[in-house]
């Protein structure tokens, strides 16, 4: 048992050291400055909006949805590796302590997401409901207990190999979490205790049902590798990550957009970068997710001139920063070297594509702001967005690409 405990301790130390080594590049001076500036501006706009918040604003529904999604998405970080399938499999009966430590680490390492959401949303709750700080603290503690239940049940569900088990597990836990949180916020304590009873019955059932099942090592290892790759993709936006594995997926329905790339020798990099953007889950997924999230925020939350501009510019900035990694997408491949194209076209074509992407996102967000009724802020955003896009791409990113190229040689 002591050797297994030492394995967890060694892996946790190595994991934390790796995370720390990348976060020092991620949280650089530029990013911190932008986050502080936008955070301060957003806080001021949020405070002003709270004074005029409608009485019928669905505070409970919003908080329930946000908290329920956060705790339902909880998953266990096992820190397992591919060789464990051979070397730790014979010790499966003695791995209970290892997985218990994994559950505890997963619980505390994911707390910051909930705490940030609680800090941001609590002023709305105090404004809409007659709650004290102590009442909200007790509610948060109970929600965190529900989060712990989610982690334990999520680990038990990993013993099932059926693909449908994961889907049903997420739906059932989301429904239970949503009802429990809504009853907590509504002070309907009788129903809260009923939901606690349902949680207890479910966990006892799955604990007994999985007692005879073995640990699904391949599944847990794949999930752990997937989580690591997600972190590597974020870190790769700020520095080189040798362990990052890139995936491509054919999206034939987007091939028609490549017709806009002119068939000329100097357009080779335009074609390659556009193709990589469409086929890579990293870049296209980031672009779509940020556009959808930004659009929802602009449409749902009542805003003024400053907050519309701040939200939209923040989305454009985050998108642009994360698209910079596309510049080095082909650096480790010999394919571009086979074409008789001058190297200077690489930077120029990438900057042009990045500018088109940011402007396209900017137009979408401006249209959403117009549809939501923020006409004057949308017009201000329309002009400011183009100025930001040009300055960001042809001043900031261009200078950063020069430094990236210089670091290679």
């Amino acid at each position: 048992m002591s050797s297994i405990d030492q394995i967890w301790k060694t892996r946790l130390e190595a994991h934390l050291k790796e995370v720390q080594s990348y976060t020092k590049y991620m949280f650089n001076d530029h990013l911190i400055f932008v986050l502080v500036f936008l955070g301060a501006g957003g806080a001021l706009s949020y405070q002003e909006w709270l004074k005029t918040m409608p009485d019928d604003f669905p505070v409970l529904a919003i908080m329930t949805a946000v908290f329920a999604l956060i705790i339902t998405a909880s998953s266990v970080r096992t820190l397992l590796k591919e060789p464990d399938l051979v070397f730790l499999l014979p010790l499966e009966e003695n791995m209970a302590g290892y997985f218990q430590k994994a559950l505890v680490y997963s619980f505390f390492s994911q707390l910051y997401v909930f705490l940030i959401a609680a800090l941001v949303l609590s002023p709305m709750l105090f404004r809409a409901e007659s709650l004290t700080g102590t009442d909200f603290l007790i509610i948060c503690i109970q929600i965190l207990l529900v989060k712990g239940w989610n982690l334990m049940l999520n680990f038990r569900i990993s013993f099932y190999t059926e693909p449908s088990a994961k889907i049903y597990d997420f739906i059932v836990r989301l429904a239970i979490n949503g009802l429990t949180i809504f009853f907590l916020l509504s002070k309907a304590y009788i129903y809260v205790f009923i939901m606690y009873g349902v949680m207890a019955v479910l966990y006892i059932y799955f604990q007994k049902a999985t007692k005879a099942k073995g640990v699904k090592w391949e599944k847990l290892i794949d999930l752990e590798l997937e989580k690591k790759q997600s972190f590597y993709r974020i870190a790769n936006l700020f520095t080189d990550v040798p362990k990052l594995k890139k995936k491509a997926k054919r999206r034939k329905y987007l091939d028609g957009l490549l017709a806009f790339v002119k068939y000329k020798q100097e357009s080779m990099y335009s074609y390659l970068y556009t193709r990589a953007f469409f086929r890579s889950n990293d870049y296209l997924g980031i672009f779509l997710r940020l556009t959808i999230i930004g659009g929802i925020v602009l449409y749902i939350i009542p805003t003024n001139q400053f907050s519309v501009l701040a939200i939209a510019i923040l989305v454009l900035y985050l998108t642009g920063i994360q698209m910079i990694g596309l510049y080095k997408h082909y650096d480790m491949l010999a394919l571009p070297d086979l074409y008789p194209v001058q190297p200077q076209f690489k930077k120029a074509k990438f900057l042009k594509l990045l500018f088109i992407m940011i402007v396209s996102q900017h137009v979408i967000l401006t249209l959403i702001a117009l549809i939501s009724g923020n006409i004057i802020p949308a017009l201000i955003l329309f002009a400011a967005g183009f100025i930001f896009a040009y300055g960001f791409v042809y001043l900031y990113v261009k200078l950063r690409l020069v430094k990236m190229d210089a670091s290679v040689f």
Side-chain angles (χ1 to χ4, degrees), residues 1-16:
M1 287 298 293
S2 59
S3 60
I4 294 178
D5 292 339
Q6 185 61 37
I7 291 174
W8 169 259
K9 183 179 179 181
T10 303
R11 289 190 177 179
L12 180 60
E13 290 175 353
H15 171 69
L16 294 177

Side-chain angles (χ1 to χ4, degrees), residues 234 237 283 286 290 317-326:
I234 298 174
L237 304 173
Y283 306 115
I286 289 170
L290 287 175
Y317 174 80
L318 292 176
T319 302
I321 283 292
Q322 297 189 72
M323 291 299 120
I324 295 177
L326 181 61

Side-chain angles (χ1 to χ4, degrees), residues 354-403:
L354 181 61
F355 181 74
I356 292 173
M357 285 192 293
I358 294 179
V359 167
S360 300
Q361 188 180 57
H362 162 59
V363 171
I364 294 172
L365 295 177
T366 303
L367 290 174
I368 293 174
L370 279 171
I371 295 172
S372 64
N374 295 301
I375 299 176
I376 301 300
L379 294 176
I380 297 174
L381 171 62
F382 184 74
F386 281 105
I387 297 173
F388 171 82
Y390 185 86
F392 176 79
V393 173
Y394 290 103
L395 295 178
Y396 174 75
V397 176
K398 186 176 182 179
L399 180 62
R400 185 164 173 176
L401 296 186
V402 171
K403 294 180 179 179

Side-chain angles (χ1 to χ4, degrees), residues 300-314:
I300 293 180
I301 298 181
T303 50
N304 53 36
Q305 285 89 336
F306 181 82
S307 54
V308 166
L309 186 61
I311 293 169
I313 295 300
L314 176 61

Side-chain angles (χ1 to χ4, degrees), residues 52-301:
T52 60
M53 187 181 77
D55 294 334
D56 59 346
F57 190 74
V59 175
L60 294 184
I62 292 175
M63 294 190 69
T64 298
V66 172
F67 288 157
L69 286 172
I70 289 175
I71 64 176
T72 305
S74 302
S75 57
V76 182
R77 293 298 304 268
T78 59
L79 304 184
L80 293 177
K81 301 180 180 179
E82 291 177 336
D84 295 341
L85 190 59
V86 176
F87 296 105
L88 291 185
L89 181 61
L91 302 175
E92 182 175 327
E93 293 182 356
N94 300 322
M95 291 291 291
Y98 180 97
F99 291 124
Q100 287 174 1
K101 290 180 173 63
L103 283 166
V104 173
Y105 167 72
S106 301
F107 178 84
F108 286 102
S109 64
Q110 298 169 16
L111 274 182
Y112 72 96
V113 180
F114 172 78
L115 293 178
I116 292 174
L119 183 65
V120 172
L121 297 177
S122 58
M124 284 198 307
L125 184 63
F126 293 142
R127 171 75 171 74
E129 302 291 331
S130 56
L131 288 177
T132 64
T134 304
D135 293 333
F136 186 64
L137 179 61
I138 294 173
I139 289 173
C140 287
I141 292 173
Q142 293 185 72
I143 293 176
L144 290 177
L145 292 176
V146 176
K147 175 182 171 62
W149 171 81
N150 276 264
L151 284 170
M152 293 189 294
L153 192 62
N154 176 261
F155 180 71
R156 288 294 168 184
I157 296 297
S158 69
F159 283 62
Y160 291 86
T161 57
E162 298 82 1
S164 59
K166 183 177 180 180
I167 300 174
Y168 292 141
D169 166 60
F170 185 86
I171 294 174
V172 171
R173 285 193 295 113
L174 181 62
I176 293 175
N177 294 334
L179 289 172
T180 305
I181 294 171
F182 181 79
F183 293 145
L184 277 171
L185 296 175
S186 303
K187 300 181 181 179
Y189 298 118
I190 295 178
Y191 295 106
V192 171
F193 286 117
I194 293 175
M195 297 309 300
Y196 286 161
V198 172
M199 291 180 190
V201 170
L202 273 176
Y203 181 73
I204 293 172
Y205 169 78
F206 281 107
Q207 186 182 38
K208 292 182 178 179
T210 57
K211 204 168 186 179
K213 295 180 180 288
V215 175
K216 301 302 180 286
W217 291 89
E218 298 94 336
K219 182 177 179 180
L220 292 177
I221 291 171
D222 289 341
L223 289 173
E224 182 61 28
L225 290 176
E226 184 179 332
K227 293 184 180 70
K228 282 192 173 184
Q229 288 300 311
S230 298
F231 174 74
Y232 291 153
R233 281 193 289 270
I234 298 174
N236 191 58
L237 304 173
F238 303 90
T239 185
D240 292 331
V241 182
K243 297 179 182 180
L244 178 64
K245 298 178 181 178
K246 298 178 180 178
K247 293 183 179 181
K249 181 180 180 180
R250 176 72 189 277
R251 295 181 173 91
K252 192 174 181 179
Y253 52 88
L254 296 176
D255 287 350
L257 296 177
L258 291 171
F260 291 98
V261 180
K262 295 182 180 180
Y263 188 74
K264 295 192 300 184
Q265 188 177 32
E266 59 267 25
S267 298
M268 183 270 290
Y269 277 107
S270 294
Y271 181 85
L272 289 179
Y273 281 134
T274 306
R275 194 80 166 177
F277 174 71
F278 289 153
R279 288 191 169 190
S280 173
N281 289 329
D282 300 339
Y283 306 115
L284 183 61
I286 289 170
F287 180 86
L288 293 176
R289 283 194 295 270
L290 287 175
T291 304
I292 292 171
I293 292 172
I296 291 174
V297 172
L298 287 175
Y299 185 81
I300 293 180
I301 298 181

